[in-house]
Amino acid sequence: MQVPLYQAKAEFFRMLGHPVRIRVLELLQSGPVAVRDLLTEIEIEPSSLSQQLAVLRRSGIVVSIREGSTVSYALAGGDVAELLRAARRILTELLAGQNELLAELRQADPPPAGPRPAGAPLTDAPLDDTPLIDAPLSRSQLPVPQGGGARA
């Protein structure tokens, strides 16, 4: 039974879904890179890099090249580099939109000038003279009912 195309795409993107793998692919865009140079650039344990390179190699998007005792990796084709460029363009557009939204939010609700002094109101709304304590009201402070008058 053949895997549906959408499922194959999902598995492909899942394979790309690790920051170290993405970083390796970014570094390989300019050509083959020796494993020792990848280790220097990415700053992870050699065993972790080896695992991530194995995933990329098994998927077929990178190839290993051995020259004497040096092992280098390269992109298997230019399409991966194009995919990374497309991802960068998409992220740039998304982040630009978020920056515009952030600017609008900041204009609509400017931050306070400084720290709020102790006891200052939390809003700029004027406070009335209503006491803010939970003390019982005296009879003179009770509201007078409207339209009825006092009962005897």
Side-chain angles (χ1 to χ4, degrees):
M1 183 171 163
Q2 189 173 349
V3 174
L5 181 58
Y6 64 86
Q7 186 175 347
K9 287 180 182 179
E11 290 172 14
F12 175 76
F13 282 107
R14 194 170 332 160
M15 179 272 304
L16 292 176
H18 192 284
V20 171
R21 292 181 213 143
I22 295 295
R23 185 65 182 129
V24 166
L25 295 173
E26 288 175 343
L27 292 170
L28 297 181
Q29 286 184 85
S30 58
V33 179
V35 171
R36 69 174 175 272
D37 296 333
L38 290 172
L39 280 169
T40 302
E41 284 293 320
I42 302 175
E43 298 180 359
I44 62 169
E45 293 295 319
S47 60
S48 296
L49 180 60
S50 178
Q51 288 174 346
Q52 302 309 324
L53 287 169
V55 170
L56 293 172
R57 194 175 55 248
R58 281 192 305 268
S59 72
I61 62 174
V62 300
V63 293
S64 61
I65 305 163
R66 181 177 288 279
E67 294 177 11
S69 63
T70 302
V71 177
S72 298
Y73 280 83
L75 296 177
D79 290 341
V80 174
E82 179 56 35
L83 177 65
L84 292 172
R85 284 190 293 275
R88 182 178 298 264
R89 285 190 306 269
I90 292 166
L91 285 172
T92 300
E93 290 172 14
L94 290 173
L95 293 174
Q98 289 178 357
N99 282 336
E100 290 170 11
L101 178 61
L102 182 59
E104 286 178 31
L105 287 171
R106 286 184 174 151
Q107 287 176 351
D109 189 23
R116 185 177 60 84
L122 296 176
T123 67
D124 294 334
L127 293 177
D128 58 15
D129 293 334
T130 306
L132 298 177
I133 57 173
D134 290 335
L137 296 174
S138 68
R139 179 165 235 154
S140 65
Q141 293 174 313
L142 291 173
V144 177
Q146 298 295 322
R151 285 198 259 170

